[in-house]
Amino acid sequence: MSSKEEEYKEIFMAEAQENFEEINKILTDLEKNLDDKNLVNSLFRITHTLKGNAAGMGFNDISSLAHVIEDLFGEVREGKLKLNKDMFTSLFKAVDTLGALIESLKDGNKVSFRGIKTKLEVLISRSKEGDEGTPGKIEEKKSDKTEQPPVAKKKTAPKKRVAHKEQATPTGNKNQQVKKAEEPSQESDIKLTEAQLASINELINENDDGEVSDEKSEIEVEDTGTKITFSDLVQVPVRKLDNLLNLVGELIIERDRIIAAYEGNSNEYSRLNRISSDLQYSVMDVRLVQVGFLFNKFHRVVRDAAAVENKSVNLDLKGVTTEIDRNILQIISDSLIHLIRNSVSHGIESPAERKKVGKPEEGTVTLSARNDSDGVIIEIIDDGKGIDVERVKQKAIDKGLVTKEMLPLMNRTELLMLIFEAGFSTCDQVSSLSGRGVGMDVVKKAIDSIGGNINLNTEAGKGTTISLKLPSSMAVKGTLLFESDHQQYAIPLSYTEAVVSFYKSELHKVSNGLIATHLGKTISIVFLQDLFNIKPGQNINAQKLLQSSYDNIHPEQQLDTVIVSYNGRTVGLVVDKLLQQKEIVEKPLMKPLDQIKLLSGVTILGNGHVCPVINIAAITTMIFNINLSNQKA
């Protein structure tokens, strides 16, 4: 068994053990109050859940017994079977056997369950046949017939085998046979009960009967053999894991401070370094969940969206075993709903349109996940009509997001990413799914909040792919440290494309800003110090503040530049000095510093200094808006 299968088995056993304990508790309460419908409904629901989970895992014995218990409470719920005190001995025996079957997954023991299963099946069968006898006391039927010898004669070996076969499908076949015999109804009832009794006695005592030789290793569950068992899994509230992770983060910061203070004797602290790192990644690993935990919920989302749009759409899931931080999965869940609905609404064509262009009438939305070098990539892919770039341009102009003069300066990716701007929509009519001008900007904000990135690719007539690049954990962030104006800063590596050096002669003034060429593309260049020196109320363009540092540097000076990319917009940030790559534990800014939009948080370095973390999303958006205002001016 693979490690993943073993993990699934452990999770099933933990949940099954909870189900078993809950069934015992509710059944105890029900015995004291036989007419409580809520308790009956609860037992029906829990056994139904246990049955389904067991069947999904391939544990057929557990599924089979749980199914019969579920059916019995289904009959009680529908008023076809009335509970009495005598039935609870059998019910508790069945529940104990269910618990033993769950426990056998761990110890490997075989558990005999067919006898008690058959006994419950008889109770169900008699309720379906309208038998008004006392269900809990099957043996009392014998007293209805004064002649005992015929009963003994009927319990021959052949009759036992026939009864055994009949019992395998207790859904009315016996009743049909009784009708065929055209015997008096009382005699028919007696024969039916005796046949059932013969089958029950045979199965309950099969270990001693000698007919079932391959069941010698099975164990019977004793009524008095109840024992308390514990699951190997412990459920922990997420807030406790968050608190533990914060403490580990503090430990890492303190470790770095100690090692930095005694740099000459770093070997003395190698063991501290290793243990603290192992502890950090162990806690991070506990928080990881498989994306399938969320992905499987989207079958209903696609179904509902397709129904509203009168379309036929299938959801295909890939990479469901990819692991990611649970908190990240929770944050992006609403974003994925927006993206999937947009794929159905905007992307997938109607069945008639698809048929006209030679496509299958049923469209496909693919939701996939895979690990990347420093995170997880989730893709939403549709095989629809693609995005009309010319229509995006026109809508962006109509909404005032860009000017006609800006369009030639924007590449195709930058144009497509305009759909993530607030208030943008290409839909002319408002529906329950689209056209309200909200949704995609919400996606961008959610991805920004966790340090993620969005990319979009589309092909006319073929479909659209939206890629979300997400960190696999929120606990540790890979960053590039640099210095600007004698202050150390960190840039998240998830946004960093490259580190290059420019000479002053390679930068060019355009309007009130700077540009350069990188890999054949024209990109905006900004001295980070100029951004931080801007004061509230200053007119950036009128005073040409983004060209201040450029005017004051030596012509031959090399300029260390970090190329960053966000939402299809690439910017070069000029810094004073590049330092090193480092994994950090980022802390959010507290009030009133949380109003500083150009920073996303802070960390503490080994030297004890506070290091701000640059907010790339805010910086690129700010530069884009400055360029837009330049064009409008």
Side-chain angles (χ1 to χ4, degrees), residues 134-198:
T134 305
K137 293 186 176 180
I138 303 174
E139 292 82 357
E140 289 182 1
K141 273 292 179 182
K142 291 183 179 181
S143 63
D144 293 340
K145 189 168 179 65
T146 57
E147 298 180 12
Q148 291 296 332
V151 177
K153 287 180 181 178
K154 288 173 183 176
K155 291 181 66 178
T156 60
K159 181 60 71 178
K160 288 171 77 174
R161 285 193 291 272
V162 172
H164 186 80
K165 290 178 181 177
E166 291 173 346
Q167 193 55 43
T169 54
T171 56
N173 290 337
K174 298 184 183 67
N175 203 27
Q176 294 171 7
Q177 291 177 2
V178 171
K179 288 180 181 178
K180 288 179 182 179
E182 296 184 355
E183 293 179 7
S185 59
Q186 185 179 6
E187 179 69 12
S188 300
D189 285 345
I190 294 170
K191 286 183 178 180
L192 174 64
T193 305
E194 289 168 2
Q196 291 170 336
L197 279 171

Side-chain angles (χ1 to χ4, degrees), residues 9 23 45 55 107 134 166 196 233 297 577 618 621 626:
K9 181 179 175 181
I23 291 170
R45 174 182 53 80
D107 55 33
T134 305
E166 291 173 346
Q196 291 170 336
L233 292 182
K297 301 178 188 293
K577 183 180 180 181
T621 301
I626 290 172

Side-chain angles (χ1 to χ4, degrees), residues 56 131 141 199 391 421 424 585:
D131 193 330
K141 273 292 179 182
S199 178
R391 195 174 179 198
E421 295 300 320
F424 182 90
V585 178

Side-chain angles (χ1 to χ4, degrees), residues 45 113 177 212 231 275 288 314 334 375 380-381 419 446 461 464 469 514 562 577 598:
R45 174 182 53 80
F113 68 96
Q177 291 177 2
V212 190
S231 168
I275 293 175
L288 296 180
N314 176 57
D334 288 343
I380 302 91
I381 307 164
I419 69 173
T464 302
K469 186 174 181 181
L514 300 167
V562 182
K577 183 180 180 181
L598 299 184

